Amino acid sequence: MTTAIAVEAQSARKDYGSGQFAVRALDDVSVRIEKGSFFTLLGPSGCGKTTLLRLIAGFETPSAGKILLGGRDITYDPPNKRPVNTVFQSYALFPHLTVAQNIGFGLQMLGRPKREIAAAVDKMLALVQLEDFAGRKPQQLSGGQQQRVALARALAPEPEVLLLDEPLSALDLKLRKEMQRELKRLQTETGITFIFVTHDQEEALTMSDRIAVMRKGNILQIGAPREIYNHPKDRFVADFIGETNFLSGTVEEGAIRLTSGDLVEAPTQGRSGKVTLAVRPEQVRISGAGDPGSLAATVADSVYFGTDTHCHLRLADGTEIVARLQSAASGEAGLARGDQVSLRFEAGAAQVVDE
Amino acid sequence: MADTRFSVSRLPGFSTIAVGVFIILYLPILMLVIYSFNGGNSIAVWEGFSLQWYPKAWNNEQVRDVTMRSLTIASAAALISTTVALMAALGTTRRKQTKGQTFVYLMINQPLMVPEIVTAVALLIVFAAIKVATGYQGLGYLILAHSAFCIPFAYLPIRARLEGMDLTLETAAGDLYATPWQTFRHVTLPIVMPGAIAGLMLAFVTSLDDVIITLFVKSAGQDTLPTYMLAQIRRSVSAEVNAISTLLLVLTVILLTGFFLLTRKRT
Ligand SMILES: Nc1ncnc2c1ncn2[C@@H]1O[C@H](COP(=O)(O)OP(=O)(O)OP(=O)(O)O)[C@@H](O)[C@H]1O
Ligand SMILES: [Mg+2]
């Protein structure tokens, strides 16, 4: 089966400035984004997320490479010729227009008849639950309401692709969670391809069909949230998405000998010599001292977080490992600094990652 | 808690000086307004309240003639200078800071810095040459001259407005299928409009009370209200001039109030 591709970047490169001030914001990035999917660009500040979005929107042209929309080369089309709309981080609502006029703006510029615009605006107002606010000016709305207007405005012309650049970052935590679900619902209901930018890994994991993890102008890994979380390709991805323990060791007969001397079962992926193992804290199990087939460890610290407890353990050579234990389920309450315990990793938990 | 910062307002004699300055600024204006209601033909001796000078001024053919000329020139100059200023402001606020920018600002604001008398003489020379070459004697020269020195007054409020404008709004308009012209028409223009109207008013007022450049540039029989008043006062002191000044003052206050209301920060 071939899935339709909504947007494709082919070796897209973007250089800003020149000479000694030159910055390569995007370093030959290639990516295909499936039609109707919720695709997230995730990465730390300055990694080029906004730049990639701006290339797709047409606010910038790439220094090299191509941008395709539905297979058509749009690299040099101006923004107003692309069936792509953007939700800006600052919302960028027109202050002199009412909510309804803001939402109808795109269709008005496309020269659609008044009736059609009015109908579309009503539909959008209902979709984002702002029916009672049609006549207000943006300044008279709360942050969350402005956010909804920005969404409705971008969705009204029914673009092929909707670009969202950290649209939730200005909202407080509670509203943010609410809008996350709202966005997901809108995406499912409209079937429009969403390209979403965030540097919040949790947001990326909960909302996306696929995630691209970026760093310094490159895409390191693309995959479904589970795939990225459970099988991070390298140390950066593992560290950026959720907390991770990193352990150094050497490959020894299909297993890995840690620096502490313990032997850990893990797929070596045909590697040899020194490797790095990544283990998620919630996949570390603790039992009483002297458990056979386990690693001997000492409790260095135990921090209570409510639903779970983070237990800092030390292996024989001093390597630190964090275990996240569910407070209710385990006997974590009994752990005290200096206790001798055994720890082991759940099956398949230990992953070899690139440095 | 005691405020230990330096404050001019605590210097000895500050309030005395402040009050003195205000008296010098406003007392003459107050006198002028009061004497416009004087019963006698003096601007120094009070002879009882009367409204006579207003209808007198209005019925004076010459006063009406110069008022019309002043309003014509001020309207035309305000429109022209605001249009030019708008384009200049769009040109100077939309691009990255460049080396030549300060120079451009200086050029635009030249009339604020060069002594008016210099500009007046310069314009006189140029216009004289044109008059000889073309034979044209109309109001065009005055309108052009006024437009030129009104530009900085129109430019400043427009620039302030444009600099305060979020450029993402224009990006957003383009994203929503607006062509560059539509973006200007539906987003930029409505947003700078208060600045443009403020500029228009300021330019209008500035043109209305100009004397020096007008005196140098005008042809015979092209008196404006201020030059007419000057001539009147030189000849014979008349309370009619007070009445006209008071009316001008009222007009200016109305326009400037409008200007402040428009440029006031709105949230
Ligand atoms: N207009 C510009 N001129 C020069 N450099 C730029 C410009 N825009 C972006 N950059 C640089 O390009 C790099 C990528 O920027 P970009 O805005 O794409 O990052 P980002 O991933 O969106 O970061 P953030 O999460 O902080 O928004 C950064 O190093 C940035 O400094
Ligand atoms: Mg960004």
Side-chain angles (χ1 to χ4, degrees):
Chain A
M1 192 186 92
T2 53
T3 37
I5 299 299
V7 180
E8 180 171 356
Q10 292 179 347
S11 311
R13 174 189 304 175
K14 182 68 192 176
D15 296 321
Y16 284 114
S18 59
Q20 116 192 60
F21 301 109
V23 178
R24 180 151 297 177
L26 277 185
D27 192 5
D28 297 354
V29 164
S30 294
V31 59
R32 299 171 141 215
I33 297 166
E34 281 173 22
K35 225 184 174 76
S37 67
F38 196 115
F39 191 94
T40 298
L41 297 170
L42 174 67
S45 190
C47 68
K49 308 179 294 287
T50 298
T51 305
L52 183 53
L53 226 53
R54 290 177 69 82
L55 292 185
I56 298 170
F59 306 144
E60 310 272 1
T61 47
S63 312
K66 280 186 190 171
I67 305 289
L68 309 182
L69 187 80
R72 193 166 56 86
D73 187 345
I74 56 158
T75 314
Y76 299 105
D77 288 2
N80 57 313
K81 294 278 193 295
R82 303 183 184 204
V84 172
N85 289 152
T86 307
V87 177
F88 294 87
Q89 183 169 359
S90 57
Y91 311 145
L93 298 175
F94 304 124
H96 58 295
L97 300 180
T98 63
V99 166
Q101 289 168 330
N102 263 282
I103 296 176
F105 191 87
L107 292 168
Q108 191 195 339
M109 294 303 114
L110 287 169
R112 298 289 165 76
K114 283 219 164 62
R115 270 162 160 241
E116 189 189 322
I117 298 176
V121 168
D122 284 344
K123 193 179 128 198
M124 282 301 141
L125 284 169
L127 195 66
V128 296
Q129 294 154 13
L130 284 176
E131 291 98 329
D132 301 337
F133 298 86
R136 290 222 200 159
K137 291 283 179 69
Q139 308 87 283
Q140 301 167 312
L141 300 179
S142 73
Q145 290 164 341
Q146 291 184 17
Q147 168 73 76
R148 282 166 213 261
V149 177
L151 259 170
R153 183 180 72 174
L155 283 171
E158 302 187 343
E160 283 174 37
V161 176
L162 188 72
L163 307 175
L164 305 104
D165 193 355
E166 310 204 28
L168 307 182
S169 61
L171 305 179
D172 64 43
L173 190 68
K174 190 156 169 288
L175 200 55
R176 202 176 165 134
K177 298 269 177 219
E178 207 177 296
M179 285 306 296
Q180 284 178 5
R181 276 193 293 148
E182 183 96 1
L183 270 181
K184 191 69 192 163
R185 174 179 71 83
L186 285 173
Q187 196 265 324
T188 325
E189 269 176 36
T190 58
I192 292 173
T193 311
F194 276 36
I195 305 181
F196 182 84
V197 163
T198 182
H199 54 239
D200 180 339
Q201 49 102 6
E202 191 186 308
E203 199 162 275
L205 289 174
T206 52
M207 300 174 74
S208 323
D209 294 319
R210 286 171 82 72
I211 300 174
V213 183
M214 296 185 66
R215 182 197 188 190
K216 291 186 183 164
N218 289 292
I219 293 185
L220 299 179
Q221 187 172 4
I222 303 180
R226 275 168 209 284
E227 198 177 319
I228 298 230
Y229 189 83
N230 291 327
H231 303 285
K233 201 173 131 282
D234 67 12
R235 188 181 178 118
F236 177 83
V237 176
D239 203 26
F240 197 74
I241 309 243
E243 285 162 61
T244 309
N245 295 299
F246 292 107
L247 306 168
S248 327
T250 34
V251 174
E252 211 170 87
E253 295 155 11
I256 287 138
R257 174 80 61 194
L258 299 183
T259 48
S260 63
D262 298 295
L263 201 63
V264 174
E265 295 285 338
T268 58
Q269 298 170 353
R271 286 168 213 255
S272 58
K274 283 195 183 302
V275 291
T276 301
L277 268 187
V279 184
R280 299 285 181 195
E282 68 273 16
Q283 294 177 317
V284 179
R285 293 279 167 268
I286 297 187
S287 52
D291 213 352
S294 300
L295 287 60
T298 316
V299 177
D301 204 358
S302 176
V303 187
Y304 180 64
F305 276 94
T307 53
D308 49 31
T309 299
H310 293 190
C311 190
H312 296 253
L313 305 160
R314 221 163 252 149
L315 296 182
D317 68 332
T319 310
E320 188 159 301
I321 294 183
V322 179
R324 190 184 298 158
L325 311 170
Q326 286 209 332
S327 299
S330 63
E332 45 78 25
L335 292 176
R337 187 171 304 172
D339 282 357
Q340 298 293 316
V341 294
S342 298
L343 66 82
R344 77 194 153 71
F345 307 133
E346 280 181 14
Q351 296 280 329
V352 174
V353 295
D354 293 338
E355 250 320 298
Chain B
M1 201 175 74
D3 190 352
T4 53
R5 278 172 308 170
F6 172 75
S7 166
V8 174
S9 63
R10 276 200 304 263
L11 289 179
F14 174 81
S15 40
T16 319
I17 294 173
V19 170
V21 166
F22 276 106
I23 289 175
I24 293 170
L25 272 178
Y26 291 104
L27 190 66
I29 295 181
L30 192 67
M31 294 282 289
L32 175 123
V33 173
I34 291 173
Y35 275 93
S36 74
F37 298 107
N38 194 358
N41 191 8
S42 163
I43 56 171
V45 188
W46 182 253
E47 294 171 41
F49 180 84
S50 159
L51 281 175
Q52 57 165 325
W53 296 113
Y54 289 87
K56 264 193 189 148
W58 181 245
N59 288 327
N60 183 335
E61 196 68 38
Q62 244 182 323
V63 171
R64 269 158 59 177
D65 179 51
V66 295
T67 306
M68 278 317 292
R69 190 172 298 114
S70 264
L71 292 179
T72 310
I73 295 171
S75 311
L79 275 176
I80 295 173
S81 59
T82 305
T83 310
V84 174
L86 180 61
M87 293 192 282
L90 284 170
T92 50
T93 55
R94 292 319 161 90
R95 51 194 69 239
K96 277 183 233 129
Q97 294 296 98
T98 48
K99 282 223 181 91
Q101 195 124 48
T102 321
F103 181 68
V104 173
Y105 286 148
L106 281 177
M107 293 293 286
I108 294 169
N109 292 324
Q110 174 270 340
L112 292 181
M113 285 167 284
V114 174
E116 198 177 346
I117 189 77
V118 174
T119 313
V121 173
L123 284 172
L124 174 71
I125 295 168
V126 173
F127 286 158
I130 299 176
K131 272 181 202 172
V132 169
T134 63
Y136 173 69
Q137 299 278 343
L139 272 188
Y141 300 108
L142 276 176
I143 290 175
L144 263 185
H146 280 224
S147 302
F149 72 75
C150 285
I151 287 172
F153 297 94
Y155 173 77
L156 292 175
I158 294 176
R159 196 184 93 177
R161 188 87 194 160
L162 274 178
E163 277 179 346
M165 180 181 167
D166 177 9
L167 284 185
T168 329
L169 294 177
E170 290 180 0
T171 313
D175 187 59
L176 291 160
Y177 314 106
T179 60
W181 167 247
Q182 283 177 312
T183 301
F184 178 73
R185 162 85 184 65
H186 293 280
V187 177
T188 318
L189 194 58
I191 290 174
V192 293
M193 204 36 116
I197 293 174
L200 206 63
M201 289 172 167
L202 223 50
F204 185 84
V205 171
T206 310
S207 161
L208 205 56
D209 79 357
D210 179 73
V211 175
I212 300 177
I213 289 181
T214 311
L215 275 180
F216 276 72
V217 172
K218 76 183 178 66
S219 308
Q222 286 189 339
D223 264 316
T224 61
L225 201 46
T227 59
Y228 167 78
M229 286 160 70
L230 186 63
Q232 286 302 301
I233 285 191
R234 270 207 217 115
R235 213 172 303 144
S236 63
V237 176
S238 157
E240 193 178 278
V241 171
N242 285 359
I244 300 169
S245 299
T246 305
L247 289 175
L248 267 179
L249 181 69
V250 170
L251 178 66
T252 310
V253 167
I254 291 173
L255 285 175
L256 288 185
T257 309
F259 168 79
F260 279 115
L261 289 178
L262 283 167
T263 49
R264 194 178 48 173
K265 281 235 158 35
R266 273 179 302 186
T267 41

